[in-house]
Amino acid sequence: MKKKDYIHVGTFGQPQGLKGEIKINIFTVSLESFKILKSYFIDKNKSILIIKKIKQVGKKIIASIENSKDRDEALSFKGKQIFTLRENFPKTKNNEFYVIDLIGSKVVDLKENYLGKVEDIKNFGAGDLLEINNLNKNNFYI
């Protein structure tokens, strides 16, 4: 499978309580859109992740993970990324796309001058940034 086949949909945060629950920072539009993905994988090794229960408490997302029965086991997940397969996302309508679909796209300015191609999409907390690689092999963000 290619990098584009796996989509980063969340990252584990701090453990919550003593029963093995853990916070998740989700990157989908809502908790409901996260839940419909159904199958998840952990980090680069793509080991299967089974979420037994997931709930929203205020603005926090709290999950119960299989094989996480206490705080120490939950702590072992902290910082790990959660992936799903691209095929798990709902189909898009005409003129709709997912941000991940922009990778590899050609970027031009208003005068049709070639600026480069989209290498990656980053989000450092304030919104999505397109990482562009230009002809000189330099990267910059839009």
Side-chain angles (χ1 to χ4, degrees), residues 12-84:
F12 287 108
Q14 291 285 353
Q16 180 74 23
L18 302 174
K19 296 181 180 178
E21 294 184 322
I22 190 165
K23 295 177 190 172
I24 297 178
N25 300 315
I26 61 171
F27 303 137
T28 57
V29 173
S30 65
L31 177 57
E32 287 69 35
S33 61
F34 184 85
K35 286 179 178 179
I36 64 169
L37 300 173
K38 295 192 172 117
S39 65
Y40 308 96
F41 304 92
I42 300 174
D43 273 338
K44 304 291 184 216
N45 63 4
K46 308 299 185 260
S47 58
I48 295 173
L49 171 67
I50 298 173
I51 298 176
K52 296 189 300 189
K53 185 173 86 176
I54 190 165
K55 62 186 174 184
Q56 187 162 358
V57 179
K59 293 185 178 181
K60 299 175 188 172
I61 307 298
I62 310 294
S64 297
I65 309 299
E66 189 172 274
N67 300 327
S68 179
K69 294 170 184 47
D70 61 36
R71 187 173 182 85
D72 290 336
E73 288 175 344
L75 191 58
S76 70
F77 288 97
K78 182 182 174 188
K80 292 188 177 184
Q81 296 177 329
I82 303 167
F83 292 86
T84 192

Side-chain angles (χ1 to χ4, degrees), residues 75-104:
L75 191 58
S76 70
F77 288 97
K78 182 182 174 188
K80 292 188 177 184
Q81 296 177 329
I82 303 167
F83 292 86
T84 192
L85 293 174
R86 171 69 169 89
E87 64 195 34
N88 292 337
F89 280 82
K91 301 287 183 228
T92 56
K93 298 176 186 165
N94 254 354
N95 295 323
E96 288 184 343
F97 60 91
Y98 289 107
V99 173
I100 194 76
D101 296 334
L102 295 175
I103 294 177

Side-chain angles (χ1 to χ4, degrees), residues 103-120:
I103 294 177
S105 298
K106 183 171 96 170
V107 179
V108 296
D109 64 15
L110 293 174
K111 295 180 181 175
E112 296 294 320
N113 295 320
Y114 179 77
L115 299 176
K117 73 173 191 163
V118 178
E119 285 289 312
D120 203 358

